[in-house]
C-alpha cells in the first residue's frame, strides 16, 4: 500500500545532491564554431557516417552551445542541486596540446558556469566524456603512454580556468566504454578494434592519466580551491547465474574485466590490475606465443602513485546481467578481450527493457552494486553520476516507463542510505534528449524532450521531469503524485 498518510516515508537528507548529467559531444553542437578543433567523433561521423544507426552526427545536436541559458532555466525548473556536464577538450585546446588555448571555448564554459551559479546550481565538470581531439588520436590517443602527460596538461588548463568556481571534477567518464568499446572494439570512436592489446594499453594509460590529474589537483589547486577530484566508472550489477563455484568465478571475472581493470588500481588496498584477470591474460598470452603478457603491469612506483588517487568513486549505473561460466557464450576471436574474460551473460525475462537493447530495469541493482563496491573498496564516498531510461523518438511525453525506472532507483538509493553507504548524490541521465553515440537520435534519455527537427531545438518537459522535480523538492517518493500541468 502506498498511502502517503499511512506509510512512513523514507526521506533523502537535505544535503543529498540531486542533479542531472549531459556530455559535450552529445548536446553542444557548434562542432567547428569559434575556433573549436576536430575531435574523434567529428572525424568518425564525417568520414564514416554509416557506422551510426541513422548516419547522423553531433554537428548541431541539442545546440547547447547557443542554448545554455535555456539549459540552466531547465535546471531551475527541476530544482536541481547540481548539474554534471563535460568539457570538449578540442573546444578548449583545438590541437589537444596546451600551447594554444581557445578563448571562445573558455568563455563558453565560463558563461555556463556563471549562469548556473547565479541560481545556486553546483557545477560538476567531467574533463573527458569521449571526445578526444583528433590530433591526439593521430598520435595514438590513449594507447600512447605520453597520453598521460597530454591529459595532465589539459587538466591544468581546466583547473586554472574554472577551479575558482567549480568544486567537483571528474577526470574520465567510463573507462570501459573508452578502452574496450573504443580501442578494443568498434562500438565507440575511434573504432580501433584492437581487442586483445589496445584495450589493456588504454586501461593502464587512462588510470595513470587520471592519477596525474588527481595529484596535480591535490597538490597545486586543492589547497586554495578546496574542491574534490575523482573518476566515474560504469558499474552494472553482475550476479552469478547459479550458486556453483564455476558461475560465481565467472561473475567475478566479468566484474574484473568490465570495471575492475579501472577500479582496482585506484580503489583497492593492494592496487594494480585485478589479480585473477591479469593472471588469466598472462597465461593465455604465453599460450598464444606472445613474448610478454598482452596486459601491461604497473611498476611498484606507478602502483603507489595510482592507489588511493581519488576523492570519490563516481558510479554510472544502468542495469544488471546474470553471468554464466557455460551458457550464452558468444564465439569470441582468439586472442580477444572477450576470449580473455570467457563468460556468458543473459537477462531475466521478467526485467522490463528500454529502447536500448542492453537496458533492463533490475530492482535494487544500485543497492547491490554499491554494497559490493563498499565491501571491496573500504567504503569510499560514492556519487551515482548517471542513471536513466531510454524511450523511442516517437514515444509520448507521458513517459510512465521512465517514471517507474526512476522511482525504482530512488528506492534503491534509500536502501543504500539506510545501510550507511557513503552515498552523497545522484545524477539523472539525462537533462535532455541528446546524441546517443552509435544510436544517433534513435534512443532518448531526456527528462526534457528535444525537437531535433526544429532549428530552435525546442525543449519540452516530459512527465518524468515533473516527478523528478517533486522528489527533489519533497525529498521522498510520492507514488500518488500526478503532475497537473500535463
Ligand atoms: C553511458 N551499459 O554509456 C554514457 O556515459 C552516456 O554518454 C550515454 O548516453 C548513456 O550511458 C546512455 O547510453 C553507457 O551497458 C552505455 O551498462 C551502456 C552501458 C553503460 C553506460
Amino acid at each position: 500500500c502506498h498511502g502517503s498518510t499511512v506509510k512512513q516515508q523514507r526521506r533523502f537528507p537535505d544535503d543529498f545532491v540531486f542533479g542531472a548529467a549531459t556530455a559535450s559531444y552529445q548536446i553542444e553542437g557548434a562542432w567547428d564554431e569559434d575556433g573549436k578543433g576536430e575531435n574523434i567523433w567529428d572525424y568518425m561521423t564525417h568520414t564514416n557516417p554509416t557506422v551510426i544507426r541513422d548516419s547522423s552526427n553531433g554537428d548541431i545536436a541539442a545546440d547547447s552551445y547557443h542554448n545554455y541559458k535555456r539549459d540552466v532555466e531547465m535546471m531551475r525548473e527541476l530544482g536541481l542541486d547540481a548539474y554534471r556536464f563535460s568539457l570538449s577538450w578540442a573546444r578548449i585546446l583545438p590541437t589537444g596540446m596546451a600551447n594554444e588555448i581557445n578563448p571562445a571555448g573558455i568563455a563558453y564554459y565560463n558563461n555556463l558556469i556563471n549562469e548556473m551559479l547565479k541560481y545556486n546550481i553546483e557545477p560538476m565538470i567531467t574533463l573527458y566524456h569521449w571526445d578526444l581531439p583528433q590530433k591526439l588520436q593521430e598520435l595514438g590517443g590513449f594507447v600512447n603512454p605520453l597520453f598521460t602527460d597530454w591529459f595532465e596538461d589539459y587538466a591544468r588548463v581546466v583547473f586554472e580556468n574554472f577551479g575558482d568556481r567549480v568544486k567537483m571534477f571528474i577526470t574520465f567518464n567510463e573507462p570501459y566504454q573508452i578502452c574496450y568499446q573504443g580501442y578494443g572494439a568498434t562500438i565507440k570512436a575511434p573504432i580501433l578494434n584492437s581487442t586483445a592489446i589496445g584495450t589493456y594499453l588504454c586501461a593502464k594509460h587512462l588510470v595513470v592519466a587520471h592519477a596525474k590529474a588527481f595529484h596535480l589537483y591535490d597538490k597545486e589547486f586543492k589547497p586554495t580551491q578546496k574542491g574534490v577530484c575523482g573518476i566515474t566508472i560504469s558499474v552494472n550489477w553482475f550476479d552469478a547465474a547459479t550458486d556453483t563455484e564455476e558461475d560465481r568465478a565467472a561473475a567475478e571475472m566479468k566484474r574484473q574485466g568490465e570495471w575492475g581493470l579501472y577500479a582496482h588500481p585506484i580503489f583497492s588496498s593492494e592496487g594494480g590490475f585485478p589479480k585473477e584477470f591479469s593472471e588469466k591474460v598472462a597465461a593465455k598470452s604465453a599460450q598464444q606465443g606472445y613474448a610478454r603478457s598482452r596486459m601491461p603491469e604497473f611498476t611498484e612506483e606507478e602502483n603507489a602513485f595510482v592507489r588511493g588517487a581519488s576523492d570519490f568513486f563516481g558510479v554510472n549505473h544502468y542495469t544488471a546481467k546474470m553471468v554464466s561460466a557455460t551458457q550464452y557464450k558468444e564465439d569470441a576471436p582468439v586472442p580477444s578481450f572477450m576470449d580473455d574474460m570467457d563468460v556468458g551473460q543473459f537477462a531475466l525475462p521478467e526485467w522490463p527493457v528500454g529502447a536500448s537493447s542492453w537496458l533492463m530495469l533490475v530492482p535494487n541493482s544500485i543497492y547491490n552494486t554499491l554494497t559490493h563496491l563498499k565491501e571491496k573498496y573500504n567504503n569510499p564516498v560514492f556519487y551515482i553520476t548517471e542513471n536513466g531510461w531510454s524511450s523511442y523518438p516517437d514515444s509520448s511525453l507521458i513517459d510512465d516507463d521512465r517514471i517507474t525506472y526512476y522511482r525504482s532507483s530512488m528506492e534503491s538509493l534509500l536502501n543504500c542510505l539506510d545501510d550507511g553507504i557513503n552515498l552523497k548524490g545522484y545524477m539523472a541521465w539525462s537533462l535532455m534528449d541528446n546524441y546517443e553515440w552509435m544510436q544517433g537520435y534513435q534512443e532518448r534519455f531526456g527528462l526534457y524532450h528535444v525537437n531535433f527537427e526544429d532549428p530552435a531545438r525546442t525543449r519540452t518537459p516530459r512527465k518524468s521531469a515533473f516527478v523528478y522535480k517533486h522528489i527533489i523538492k519533497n525529498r521522498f517518493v510520492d507514488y500518488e503524485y500526478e503532475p497537473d500541468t500535463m
Side-chain angles (χ1 to χ4, degrees):
C1 161
H2 300 309
S4 49
T5 49
V6 187
K7 192 177 161 191
Q8 230 212 304
Q9 295 296 351
R10 296 196 296 168
R11 305 184 72 89
F12 291 96
D14 288 337
D15 62 355
F16 189 82
V17 180
F18 279 112
T22 61
S24 48
Y25 187 73
Q26 295 181 274
I27 65 165
E28 283 179 6
W31 80 275
D32 66 346
E33 246 177 273
D34 298 340
K36 176 181 163 294
E38 189 184 38
N39 65 45
I40 56 176
W41 280 87
D42 297 320
Y43 178 80
M44 183 183 74
T45 57
H46 293 159
T47 55
N48 208 353
T50 56
V51 300
I52 308 297
R53 182 154 139 205
D54 54 10
S55 297
S56 64
N57 55 53
D59 287 3
I60 304 175
D63 203 18
S64 282
Y65 190 70
H66 299 108
N67 287 308
Y68 73 89
K69 285 201 174 165
R70 171 63 181 136
D71 292 350
V72 176
E73 185 178 53
M74 285 141 59
M75 300 169 207
R76 292 163 59 200
E77 288 170 3
L78 291 167
L80 298 187
D81 304 313
Y83 175 58
R84 171 178 178 241
F85 61 99
S86 80
L87 306 178
S88 162
W89 186 337
R91 195 181 292 291
I92 294 174
L93 306 177
T95 65
M97 302 280 184
N99 62 314
E100 182 202 339
I101 300 175
N102 176 25
I106 301 288
Y108 170 64
Y109 295 114
N110 274 335
N111 289 340
L112 172 62
I113 292 163
N114 293 340
E115 183 74 6
M116 289 169 59
L117 291 177
K118 263 199 231 168
Y119 304 103
N120 259 326
I121 300 159
E122 190 195 337
M124 294 183 179
I125 282 186
T126 307
L127 280 82
Y128 187 80
H129 197 129
W130 306 355
D131 45 358
L132 188 72
Q134 176 61 22
K135 294 274 185 215
L136 299 185
Q137 187 53 48
E138 284 158 14
L139 301 173
F142 283 75
V143 299
N144 186 332
L146 293 175
F147 174 81
T148 64
D149 292 333
W150 307 333
F151 186 73
E152 185 183 14
D153 297 343
Y154 163 54
R156 179 184 294 281
V157 173
V158 170
F159 300 146
E160 275 173 353
N161 280 279
F162 308 119
D164 58 331
R165 287 152 295 147
V166 176
K167 301 303 160 193
M168 187 162 165
F169 292 101
I170 295 166
T171 54
F172 292 100
N173 179 71
E174 299 190 344
Y176 172 81
Q177 277 69 11
I178 297 168
C179 292
Y180 171 64
Q181 295 191 345
Y183 285 83
T186 56
I187 312 170
K188 297 279 172 347
I191 52 173
L192 197 68
N193 212 17
S194 173
T195 170
I197 295 171
T199 307
Y200 304 126
L201 297 181
C202 171
K204 179 172 174 189
H205 302 151
L206 182 151
V207 160
V208 172
H210 158 79
K212 283 194 173 177
F214 171 84
H215 288 298
L216 171 68
Y217 187 75
D218 198 57
K219 282 201 186 57
E220 296 188 31
F221 294 93
K222 193 191 253 179
T224 52
Q225 297 185 348
K226 315 243 183 266
V228 289
C229 180
I231 187 168
T232 278
I233 301 176
S234 91
V235 188
N236 288 323
W237 177 237
F238 297 114
D239 221 339
T242 72
D243 209 27
T244 62
E245 201 174 309
E246 290 72 30
D247 281 350
R248 283 191 282 120
E252 177 58 19
M253 209 45 88
K254 178 82 176 167
R255 294 190 286 257
Q256 293 190 3
E258 278 223 11
W259 51 259
L261 286 180
Y262 316 98
H264 206 83
I266 300 170
F267 294 102
S268 74
S269 45
E270 74 264 26
F273 285 131
K275 196 160 170 287
E276 289 82 2
F277 196 89
S278 57
E279 282 173 3
K280 199 163 164 202
V281 177
K284 288 204 182 208
S285 302
Q287 232 171 49
Q288 290 157 352
Y290 289 90
R292 55 179 59 83
S293 177
R294 290 180 277 101
M295 177 181 283
E297 291 297 333
F298 291 85
T299 65
E300 266 312 305
E301 202 186 343
E302 286 167 339
N303 181 318
F305 185 72
V306 167
R307 211 165 0 115
S310 196
D311 290 320
F312 59 88
F313 193 143
V315 174
N316 285 357
H317 178 90
Y318 285 88
T319 194
K321 294 285 177 316
M322 306 302 289
V323 181
S324 167
T326 51
Q327 288 184 293
Y328 299 96
K329 279 194 180 174
E330 279 160 36
D331 279 335
V334 178
S336 69
F337 167 72
M338 285 301 167
D339 178 68
D340 289 340
M341 204 157 56
D342 195 25
V343 301
Q345 64 167 37
F346 61 98
L348 296 182
E350 64 264 31
W351 294 340
V353 192
S356 315
S357 56
W358 51 268
L359 179 52
M360 286 88 191
L361 186 172
V362 183
N364 223 16
S365 63
I366 295 179
Y367 174 81
N368 290 331
T369 299
L370 292 193
T371 306
H372 182 88
L373 292 178
K374 175 193 171 188
E375 294 295 305
K376 208 172 183 109
Y377 300 131
N378 193 30
N379 201 16
V381 169
F382 291 108
Y383 285 86
I384 298 292
T385 42
E386 280 180 32
N387 177 250
W389 186 252
S390 56
S391 50
Y392 296 96
D394 56 357
S395 302
S396 161
L397 289 175
I398 314 287
D399 53 344
D400 290 312
D401 53 344
R402 182 172 287 105
I403 291 168
T404 302
Y405 181 90
Y406 277 126
R407 282 179 173 160
S408 167
S409 292
M410 293 299 130
E411 296 298 340
S412 206
L413 296 178
L414 287 163
N415 292 339
C416 293
L417 295 175
D418 280 354
D419 256 25
I421 291 172
N422 218 341
L423 173 62
K424 302 284 189 208
Y426 172 90
M427 308 291 126
W429 183 271
S430 174
L431 177 62
M432 68 191 112
D433 288 347
N434 55 53
Y435 184 71
E436 180 53 21
W437 308 112
M438 293 313 221
Q439 307 309 319
Y441 297 100
Q442 303 311 308
E443 294 174 10
R444 304 296 181 85
F445 279 87
L447 292 162
Y448 281 72
H449 171 268
V450 175
N451 183 352
F452 292 103
E453 314 284 292
D454 174 358
R457 296 298 189 274
T458 303
R459 289 111 157 91
T460 311
R462 292 197 168 94
K463 184 177 173 185
S464 56
F466 294 96
V467 170
Y468 191 42
K469 175 195 176 105
H470 193 268
I471 292 168
I472 296 174
K473 178 157 186 274
N474 297 293
R475 306 267 143 186
F476 71 95
V477 186
D478 181 355
Y479 288 88
E480 321 263 89
Y481 172 69
E482 278 291 328
D484 46 36
T485 40
M486 300 224 44

